[in-house]
């Protein structure tokens, strides 16, 4: 009898243990009822959405069949679709067919052959690469971040300052401010655009660079300034170079549109190459997102123009020390595409034709927008739009006008009045022009 009781008790104990084990196994961390008393997570505030990507998300969720996205800076073809450059497609097909291609890690500094080709593309085929320290980067954003960290660490701080100041044009690409702040620099602004004339504020630019502490870093857009599309003339670039040298400033070029701006990659590099010839120790952030259409491949370079192979070696060592704990090594697919295109004469020729095709369509949309605005009754002077260059038209519209365009016509754009011309085509340009006329009629587009 006792044996039977013990047997039943043991069996009940085993069943109870099994039941508890099953319940524990099925319980996920998110269903636990207990809460740590010292959790920090409930005190984290909601961060603001990205100014541009947030608008893109709003566009996606909009159900208006007439909606138009002229916000995000990515090329679209005449039917409003993303366009993979034919030269890029062919290069990718070759890579996929090449059984020797592998997926091994790239070195910290990236694919050296790709970097050399990229630097030749920017500085010119005759550039002395023995004096240029170059690393592969995560597109232009990553290049700016590496460059900012490098300058923050090694540029001497002007007297009385705790951080290295970097002067950024006003306005500029919005991410510049956050990038250089995160890199530990003192972000300051210099005048660039005159809203009263809708053109370059050259006098303000010169005055502000003169007033900057000697030895400051000056960020310049190499071509197709984002968001204004206003670039200095070559004579003005020369004066800017002279002023920067006289103040012992340091030059940081951001080049995101070479080849895309005018359709001529050599012409688009004129300012950069002039500064290089003048002896500036340029820091260059270079992106292949726009001009190769490699938006999602995150392909770029960061380079420093030094005075000797010995300086180059030292700078390279420090750039690697910055990269290693940041992301270790770059992705290889996009750089392999660029390398394949630029090492094949036929593909290179086709690529330059692709660039010209994109630039030509953008230029046509720029001119047609102004033409149709006049046709629908606008009496404003829109000549500043046709004088600009690159992907964007900086219209002069106020934030209130932009809000009205979005709320009444489902036209999505940034609040500074910037329109991505790549989002326009023959099917929507009249709709956009009529909407722009409706919100600007009788109101000023200068301030």
């Amino acid at each position: 009898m006792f044996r039977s009781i013990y047997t039943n008790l043991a069996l009940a104990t085993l069943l109870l243990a099994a039941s508890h084990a099953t319940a524990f196994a099925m319980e996920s961390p998110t269903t636990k009822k207990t809460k740590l008393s010292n959790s920090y997570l409930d005190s984290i505030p909601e961060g603001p959405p990205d100014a541009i990507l947030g608008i893109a998300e709003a566009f996606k969720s909009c159900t208006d069949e007439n909606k138009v996205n002229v916000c995000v800076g990515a090329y679209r073809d005449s039917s409003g679709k993303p366009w993979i450059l034919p030269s890029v497609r062919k290069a990718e097909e070759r890579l996929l067919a090449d059984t020797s291609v592998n997926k091994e890690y790239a070195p910290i500094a990236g694919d050296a052959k790709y970097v050399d080709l990229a630097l030749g593309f920017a500085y010119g085929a005759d550039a002395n690469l023995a004096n240029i320290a170059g690393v592969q980067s995560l597109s232009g954003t990553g290049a700016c971040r590496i460059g900012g960290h490098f300058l923050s660490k090694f540029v001497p701080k002007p007297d009385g300052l705790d951080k290295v100041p970097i002067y950024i044009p006003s306005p500029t690409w919005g991410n510049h401010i956050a990038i250089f702040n995160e890199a530990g620099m003192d972000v300051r602004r210099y005048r660039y655009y005159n809203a009263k004339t809708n053109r370059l504020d050259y006098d303000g630019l010169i005055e502000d660079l003169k007033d900057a502490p000697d030895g400051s870093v000056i960020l310049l857009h190499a071509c197709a300034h984002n968001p204004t599309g206003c670039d200095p003339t070559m004579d003005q670039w020369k004066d800017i170079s002279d002023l920067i040298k006289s103040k012992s400033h340091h030059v940081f070029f951001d080049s995101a549109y070479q080849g895309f701006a005018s359709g001529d990659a050599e012409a688009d590099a004129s300012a950069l190459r002039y500064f290089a010839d003048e002896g500036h120790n340029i820091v260059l952030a270079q992106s292949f997102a726009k001009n190769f259409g490699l938006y999602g491949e995150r392909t770029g370079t960061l380079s420093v123009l030094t005075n000797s192979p010995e300086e180059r070696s030292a700078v390279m060592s420090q750039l690697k020390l910055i990269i290693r704990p940041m992301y270790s090594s770059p992705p290889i697919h996009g750089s392999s595409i660029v390398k394949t295109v630029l090492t094949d004469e036929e593909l290179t020729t086709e690529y330059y034709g692709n660039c010209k095709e994109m630039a030509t369509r953008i230029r046509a949309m720029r001119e047609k927008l102004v033409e149709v605005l006049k046709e629908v009754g606008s009496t404003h002077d829109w000549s500043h739009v046709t004088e600009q260059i690159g992907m964007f038209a900086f219209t002069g519209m106020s934030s209130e006008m932009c809000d009205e365009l979005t709320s009444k016509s489902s036209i999505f754009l940034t609040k500074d009045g910037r329109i991505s011309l790549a989002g326009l085509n023959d099917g929507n340009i009249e709709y956009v022009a009529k909407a722009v006329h409706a919100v600007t009629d009788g109101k000023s587009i200068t301030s």
Side-chain angles (χ1 to χ4, degrees), residues 6 9 17 58 64 113 130 152 177 188 206 231 245 310 318 336 357 373 422 433 443:
Y6 288 137
L9 284 172
D64 187 343
K113 179 63 175 175
S152 178
I177 299 166
R188 303 182 179 191
I206 291 296
D231 290 347
K245 283 197 288 187
E310 292 74 23
Q318 294 296 336
S336 296
E357 183 177 344
L373 279 167
K443 302 173 185 176

Side-chain angles (χ1 to χ4, degrees), residues 40-85:
Y40 64 91
L41 299 176
D42 60 359
S43 64
I44 297 176
E46 187 79 23
D50 182 87
I52 294 177
L53 299 182
I55 296 171
E57 289 301 316
F59 170 79
K60 287 181 182 178
S61 63
C62 177
T63 58
D64 187 343
E65 63 180 13
N66 293 315
K67 66 180 181 179
V68 181
N69 184 358
V70 287
C71 170
V72 179
Y75 182 77
R76 297 292 182 262
D77 64 16
S78 57
S79 61
K81 303 296 182 183
W83 189 55
I84 297 178
L85 279 61

Side-chain angles (χ1 to χ4, degrees), residues 32 57 64 130 252 271 282 287 289 322 360 371 380 392:
K32 287 182 179 179
E57 289 301 316
D64 187 343
F252 193 125
I282 293 168
S287 169
I322 292 170
T360 299
E371 177 185 326
H380 284 301
F392 304 111

Side-chain angles (χ1 to χ4, degrees), residues 175-234:
N175 214 16
H176 276 149
I177 299 166
I179 289 170
F180 292 108
N181 270 324
E182 289 294 324
M185 304 190 78
D186 178 7
V187 178
R188 303 182 179 191
R189 311 303 294 271
Y190 66 85
R191 283 171 285 177
Y192 191 86
Y193 189 76
N194 187 339
K196 294 180 180 179
T197 62
N198 282 324
R199 283 165 176 84
L200 178 70
D201 186 358
Y202 180 68
D203 291 339
L205 180 157
I206 291 296
E207 184 177 347
D208 288 348
L209 296 194
K210 282 182 179 178
D211 290 344
D214 289 4
S216 297
V217 177
I218 310 298
L219 185 133
L220 303 167
H221 295 223
C223 64
H225 178 274
N226 177 7
T228 70
C230 293
D231 290 347
T233 65
M234 203 61 219

